């Protein structure tokens, strides 16, 4: 699946407009614990979280994730966005809850095994 | 006729095993008094967040409560480092928690905002190097004998 | 959705003993950060989480959450299970990832009703330093 399709399908707001969202998403991962993502998220996954801490970008970059979706209208600060652009990690936001956002990604066909 | 009940719980910093025990006891008292469930839920959430703040950030503290037929007052006083910038601490998502605290599921910067959202009034008084006092109350809409 | 249907949907098992399983939920939330659960959740809910410490049980107790499902086969220690039994909160465990667990419950019709506090309380702040 393409990140562009996900952004369109779920009406996500792209917070890193300078980065291309024409990239492949191979699965989904949801967690608010950085250690869990470090240990378990598969490369190419899009990560759903409400953590806006700067370190989310480093984790996504180290794990080769395809992007980060922040839920519950959580807005990342400028430092986080700056780092995201440097590390080429697109960040999107949504007013949906974590549960509903993941539900819709699942309905689009994204999986996490 | 008023039926006032008050008491105090002592809190120990870093005692994560018992974190929530004071709020749980307060919740039990409110249930026994027949306070409406939505009021109990709001007070339990506020008390729990305040209790966790003491456990996470302070050496020790205490939670005092006073319940009347019309209101629930809670004061949580700690011996901690104090809050340097309360406005900043009230911002959703702002946190000074360590990674260790985050991995336990806390420190997402929602504690004080949650207390504010759950209560009818919140007052914060913090002295750097001495500690912080939170005072909050919730009006009991129904279930009281008579309203003033 | 009742507990039996949830067990079936998630291929989950029950960890608690002596807690009624005659429960049902209308809403679902998924989080590892407990303040967010306290902030957004409503009653008649299930919490899907990857955290297994005692604070998760306390959070469910304070927020009046009906039941908790732990994902990725994560199990809390016996002391935490006892606390849940004492508070009459059923604990479930599934081997599914959090993503798959949420996806399957969503597919079965569960949603998150987001709680918006309607009060606008006054705040009095005072910071002193000396």
């Amino acid at each position: 699946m393409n990140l562009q399709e996900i952004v369109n399908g779920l009406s996500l707001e792209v917070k890193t407009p300078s980065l291309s969202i024409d990239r492949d998403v191979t699965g989904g991962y949801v967690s608010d614990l950085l250690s869990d993502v470090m240990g378990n998220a598969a490369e190419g996954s899009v990560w759903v979280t409400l953590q806006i801490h700067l370190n989310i970008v480093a984790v996504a970059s180290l794990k080769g994730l395809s992007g980060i979706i922040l839920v519950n209208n959580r807005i990342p600060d400028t430092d986080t966005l700056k780092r995201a652009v440097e590390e080429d990690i697109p960040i999107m936001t949504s007013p949906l809850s974590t549960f509903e956002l993941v539900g819709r990604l699942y309905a689009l066909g994204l999986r996490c095994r | 006729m008023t039926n006032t009940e008050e008491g105090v719980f002592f809190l120990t910093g870093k005692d994560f095993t018992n974190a929530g025990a004071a709020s749980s006891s307060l919740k039990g008292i409110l249930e026994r008094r027949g306070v409406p469930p939505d009021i109990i839920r709001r007070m339990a959430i506020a008390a729990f967040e305040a209790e966790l703040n003491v456990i996470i950030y302070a050496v020790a503290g205490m939670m005092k409560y006073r319940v009347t037929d019309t209101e629930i007052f809670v004061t949580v006083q700690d011996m901690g480092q104090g809050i340097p910038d309360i406005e900043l601490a009230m911002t959703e998502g702002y946190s000074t928690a360590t990674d260790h605290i985050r991995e336990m599921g806390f420190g997402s910067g929602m504690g004080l905002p949650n207390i504010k959202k759950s209560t009818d009034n919140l007052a914060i008084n913090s002295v750097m190097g001495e500690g912080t006092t939170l005072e909050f109350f919730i009006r009991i809409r129904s279930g009281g004998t008579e309203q003033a | 959705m009742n507990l039996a249907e949830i067990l079936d949907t998630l291929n989950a098992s029950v960890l608690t003993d002596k807690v009624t399983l005659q429960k049902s939920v209308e809403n679902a939330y998924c989080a590892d950060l407990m303040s967010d659960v306290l902030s957004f959740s409503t009653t008649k809910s299930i919490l899907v989480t990857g955290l297994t410490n005692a604070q998760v049980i306390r959070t469910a107790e304070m927020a009046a959450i009906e039941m908790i499902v732990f994902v990725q086969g994560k199990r809390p220690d016996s002391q935490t299970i006892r606390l849940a039994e004492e508070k009459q909160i059923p604990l479930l465990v599934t081997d599914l990832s959090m993503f798959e667990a949420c996806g399957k419950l969503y597919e079965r019709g569960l949603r998150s009703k987001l709680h918006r506090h309607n009060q606008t309380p006054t705040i009095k702040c005072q910071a002193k330093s000396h």
Side-chain angles (χ1 to χ4, degrees):
Chain A
M1 195 177 298
N2 192 283
L3 186 56
Q4 180 76 61
E5 290 171 56
I6 294 172
V7 166
N8 293 347
L10 274 62
S11 307
L12 303 179
E13 189 179 332
V14 180
K15 292 300 211 180
T16 48
S18 62
L19 300 180
S20 166
I21 51 170
D22 179 16
R23 57 182 82 198
D24 204 32
V25 177
T26 53
Y29 201 80
V30 52
S31 178
D32 301 318
L33 304 178
L34 304 189
S35 60
D36 177 36
V37 179
M38 282 303 290
N40 301 308
E43 191 181 344
S45 300
V46 67
W47 174 21
V48 181
T49 187
L50 40 71
Q51 284 269 28
I52 52 171
H53 196 260
L54 181 65
N55 291 347
I56 59 173
V57 178
V59 169
S61 177
L62 282 165
K63 295 293 286 188
L65 304 183
S66 50
I68 303 172
I69 304 174
L70 301 175
V71 293
N72 276 353
N73 272 329
R74 228 26 101 75
I75 308 297
D77 58 32
T78 47
D79 285 350
T80 305
L81 291 176
K82 189 163 159 274
R83 179 78 67 87
V85 170
E86 284 165 14
E87 303 277 346
D88 191 32
I89 301 289
I91 293 187
M92 285 73 59
T93 60
S94 168
L96 292 176
S97 74
T98 309
F99 180 84
E100 293 208 1
L101 192 103
V102 171
R104 292 192 194 188
L105 287 174
Y106 189 87
L108 283 179
L110 221 54
R111 294 293 181 267
C112 170
R113 298 222 165 85
Chain B
M1 194 189 81
T2 57
N3 175 15
T4 301
E5 206 173 331
E6 48 195 335
V8 58
F9 302 108
F10 293 93
L11 310 171
T12 310
K14 307 292 176 282
D15 181 10
F16 287 99
T17 316
N18 290 307
S23 306
S24 181
S25 301
L26 177 60
K27 181 172 181 262
I29 290 164
L30 300 179
E31 281 167 351
R32 178 172 47 71
R33 290 176 65 98
V35 173
D38 61 318
I39 303 282
I40 295 180
R41 186 172 184 274
R42 283 169 56 203
M43 184 45 90
I45 287 171
F48 185 46
E49 289 283 14
E51 183 176 358
L52 282 169
N53 276 347
V54 176
I55 308 285
I56 293 170
Y57 296 106
V59 178
M62 60 176 100
M63 179 189 290
K64 292 184 209 164
Y65 64 89
R66 185 160 62 88
V67 192
T68 70
D69 290 336
T70 53
E71 281 165 322
I72 312 160
F73 294 89
V74 172
T75 304
V76 178
Q77 193 175 0
D78 74 41
M79 288 175 265
Q81 67 241 30
I83 305 170
D85 186 339
I86 292 173
E87 296 290 323
L88 200 55
M90 288 302 302
T91 310
E92 287 193 8
Y94 175 81
S95 174
T96 58
T98 60
D99 285 344
H100 173 65
I101 298 294
R102 287 174 202 274
E103 292 298 317
M104 289 202 306
F106 294 103
S108 65
M110 296 294 284
L112 290 176
N114 271 355
I115 300 173
K116 183 187 89 173
K117 284 202 290 188
S118 300
T119 58
D120 290 321
N121 189 292
L122 166 65
I124 306 173
N125 197 330
S126 193
V127 179
M128 291 307 294
E130 289 186 12
T132 301
T133 302
L134 304 184
E135 289 178 292
F136 46 90
F137 71 82
I138 297 181
R139 285 180 210 97
I140 302 173
R141 285 192 299 271
S142 57
T145 46
E146 51 188 314
Q147 297 286 335
Chain C
M1 192 170 186
N2 65 36
L3 197 144
E5 291 170 316
I6 290 166
L7 287 175
D8 182 53
T9 304
L10 302 180
N11 196 16
S13 48
V14 181
L15 295 170
T16 40
D17 197 13
K18 294 170 243 137
V19 178
T20 178
L21 302 181
Q22 303 300 315
K23 285 197 170 198
S24 64
V25 296
E26 293 172 10
N27 313 298
Y29 302 91
C30 153
D32 295 318
L33 296 180
M34 294 302 117
S35 277
D36 291 286
V37 179
L38 294 167
S39 178
F40 293 110
S41 68
T42 54
T43 54
K44 302 191 181 87
S45 307
I46 182 169
L47 171 64
V48 183
T49 186
L51 259 198
T52 57
N53 60 30
Q55 281 80 47
V56 178
I57 315 298
R58 290 294 188 194
T59 299
E61 179 195 357
M62 303 310 160
I65 282 168
E66 294 291 330
M67 59 185 85
I68 302 169
V69 57
F70 300 112
V71 297
Q72 284 175 338
K74 291 180 194 171
R75 286 158 188 269
D77 60 26
S78 56
Q79 201 181 347
T80 303
I81 294 175
R82 276 202 303 278
L83 180 63
E85 287 168 346
E86 192 186 309
K87 302 299 172 191
Q88 287 291 305
I89 300 166
L91 302 183
L92 318 182
V93 61
T94 175
D95 286 335
L96 293 174
S97 64
M98 188 133 91
F99 192 92
E100 297 275 319
C102 291
K104 285 177 192 292
L105 292 175
Y106 184 89
E107 199 173 54
R108 292 292 300 270
L110 280 185
R111 297 290 182 267
S112 311
K113 187 170 80 182
L114 290 191
H115 178 59
R116 301 292 180 207
H117 301 257
N118 47 13
Q119 299 80 31
T120 44
T122 54
I123 321 163
K124 191 177 69 188
C125 297
Q126 201 183 353
K128 290 184 241 164
S129 56
H130 61 209

